[in-house]
Amino acid sequence: MRVRPLTLVLFLVLVLVTGYAVWWHRMATRLLGLLEHNTELARAAGATITYQPPTLGGFPLGISITATDVKVAKPDGLSWLAETVKASAPIWRLDQVVLTLAKGGHASLPREGARPALDATATIAGGRVTLDLATGTPRSVQVNLNHATLVAAPLPAPEGAPAEAPPTDGTAAAAPPASLVPAGSYPIEDVSVTVERPVTPPTDHTGTGLALHVDITNMTVPPVRSLGTTVQRLILAARVQGPIPAAPTADAVTPWSKEGGTVEVDSLKLDWGDLHMGANATLALDANLQPQGSGTAELSGLDNLVDALHDGGSLRGNAATWAHLGVALLAKPKANGGPPTLKLPITMQDHKLQVGPLTVAHYPDISWH
C-alpha cells in the first residue's frame, strides 16, 4: 500500500513535535532542579522558605516557572514575601534567568542597635540571575525595584524612660536614642543592585571575591535645608578583595581582615540638590574590626554641604564662614564651563567620615555576631 506524501509529512512533523516537547520538558525540569537546589542551600543555611507548588510554562521557545505565596525568613530576622514570582529563561540559555514579580514584594528587617526596624515595599520588582550550570550556584544576581518605599520605625525610648508627658519639675526628659535612619517614609523611584562573583574564587587579597554595583534614582531622604529632600542619583561600584568570609561573624571576618582583605570603592557618584560628588576609596577593618579607610573626592556645590553641616550643628561659630572662604579660594572652574570643583581627601576612622577638614558624618560600631 502506497503511503501518501502528506501523510508521511504529518507523521514526521508529529514525531519532531513530540520529540521537541519531551526535550523541552527535560530542560524545564533541569531549570526547576537548579532553582530548587539554590532553595535547599538557603534552607541549609537556616532560612525558612515556603511557596505553593510551582507551575511550568513558556513552551515552545522559553521556560517559565511560577510560584505563588512565596515567603522567606532568614535567621537574622530579614523576611521577604511576594504574591507571585516568575523565573523564565530562553530554552537555549538556561543560565540566564529573568525574575519577575509583577505585583511587587515586601521585605522587613527588625531593629538592631541604632538601626531601626525597616519595612520596604516595591510596586514592581524583578531581576536577572546568571547561573553556573555545572554547580547550579549564581554567578551574578541583579535586583531591580521600581516605585519602592522604605519605612523606618521610631526607636523605642531608653529603658526606664517615662512614657507619659515630660517631667514638670525642671529636670530634662531622657533623650531619644540616635537612629541610623530617622523615623519616616522614604519613597524611591528606582533601585538597581548587581552582585557578581568570579568563576574562580580568589586565593588571596589581590583577587576580587565579589563585585557590587548600586544605582539609585530619586531617593527621598530626611530634609536638609540647603540640599533638599531628594537625592537625584547615587551610583556605587565596589569590589571586595580576597576570599569572601563564610558568614558575617567576627570569627569569619578576622582572617579576611588580617590577610589584607579590603573593599575597593572604585566609584561613588552623588547628585543631591546642587551638590555633586565623585569619589573613590579603599576601606578596611581596624584591629577592633571597625571600618577605616581613605580616598579622594571631587565636589562641586560644596557651599551647600557647608551650609548643611552648619544647619546640623557640625560647624559652629565662624567655622562655616572660614569653610566658605576656603571653598571660594581653592575651588577651580572646569574647562567646559561647569561649576567650580574642589578635590579633597576622604578619611574614615574613629567613627568619623571626613571630607577634607569637614566631619560630614558619624557612624556607629559594627556589631559582629
Side-chain angles (χ1 to χ4, degrees), residues 27 72 122 149 167 252 357:
M27 293 297 100
V72 179
T149 301

Side-chain angles (χ1 to χ4, degrees):
M1 180 178 178
R2 181 179 299 176
V3 179
R4 295 180 180 180
L6 180 58
T7 304
L8 180 59
V9 169
L10 291 177
F11 176 75
L12 292 175
V13 169
L14 179 61
V15 170
L16 290 174
V17 170
T18 303
Y20 180 81
V22 171
W23 179 74
W24 179 91
H25 191 270
R26 289 183 61 187
M27 293 297 100
T29 303
R30 183 184 181 193
L31 179 59
L32 179 60
L34 291 173
L35 298 178
E36 289 182 337
H37 171 70
N38 283 282
T39 300
E40 291 305 319
L41 289 178
R43 286 171 173 159
T48 300
I49 303 175
T50 60
Y51 49 84
Q52 296 301 314
T55 58
L56 298 179
F59 184 85
L61 298 180
I63 298 171
S64 66
I65 300 170
T66 303
T68 58
D69 194 22
V70 180
K71 299 177 181 178
V72 179
K74 299 185 66 177
D76 60 4
L78 174 65
S79 64
W80 176 83
L81 57 89
E83 187 174 329
T84 303
V85 178
K86 179 181 178 181
S88 56
I91 198 164
W92 57 89
R93 288 299 305 270
L94 294 186
D95 61 327
Q96 299 294 324
V97 180
V98 175
L99 300 176
T100 304
L101 286 71
K103 297 184 179 180
H106 173 266
S108 61
L109 190 64
R111 177 208 171 189
E112 182 176 357
R115 186 195 68 208
L118 301 173
D119 279 280
T121 58
T123 305
I124 302 174
R128 180 180 295 273
V129 179
T130 300
L131 294 173
D132 184 333
L133 295 180
T135 63
T137 56
R139 288 185 188 170
S140 69
V141 177
Q142 181 184 52
V143 177
N144 301 314
L145 306 177
N146 305 108
H147 306 293
T149 301
L150 176 68
V151 177
L155 286 182
E159 187 176 352
E164 62 273 5
T168 58
D169 59 358
T171 61
S179 175
L180 285 178
V181 183
S185 178
Y186 304 104
I188 307 171
E189 184 176 317
D190 294 298
V191 180
S192 177
V193 180
T194 303
V195 179
E196 295 181 277
R197 283 189 155 182
V199 177
T200 303
T203 57
D204 57 38
H205 68 277
T206 61
T208 298
L210 182 144
L212 172 68
H213 186 273
V214 179
D215 191 340
I216 300 175
T217 303
N218 292 333
M219 175 175 63
T220 302
V221 294
V224 177
R225 183 177 64 86
S226 56
L227 296 173
T229 60
T230 301
V231 172
Q232 299 98 309
R233 199 73 182 272
L234 175 64
I235 303 175
L236 169 69
R239 293 172 290 119
V240 180
Q241 296 297 100
I244 300 299
T249 63
D251 290 341
V253 171
T254 297
W256 172 82
S257 178
K258 288 185 176 181
E259 292 169 9
T262 60
V263 176
E264 300 295 331
V265 180
D266 297 317
S267 177
L268 174 63
K269 296 181 180 179
L270 172 69
D271 297 321
W272 185 3
D274 292 327
L275 174 66
H276 306 281
M277 181 185 76
N280 58 73
T282 297
L283 309 179
L285 297 176
D286 62 18
N288 297 317
L289 298 183
Q290 299 305 310
Q292 62 180 2
S294 61
T296 304
E298 183 174 6
L299 305 101
S300 64
L302 190 56
D303 282 320
N304 294 276
L305 178 59
V306 173
D307 289 337
L309 295 174
H310 180 261
D311 293 343
S314 297
L315 292 177
R316 302 179 183 276
N318 294 327
T321 302
W322 286 108
H324 280 300
L325 180 60
V327 171
L329 292 174
L330 298 176
K332 298 180 180 179
K334 283 191 171 182
N336 60 7
T341 62
L342 182 61
K343 284 188 176 182
L344 293 172
I346 300 173
T347 56
M348 187 177 183
Q349 193 171 16
D350 298 330
H351 304 94
K352 293 190 297 184
L353 174 62
Q354 291 185 286
V355 177
L358 304 175
T359 299
V360 299
H362 292 81
Y363 55 90
D365 276 337
I366 296 178
S367 299
W368 302 101
H369 297 290

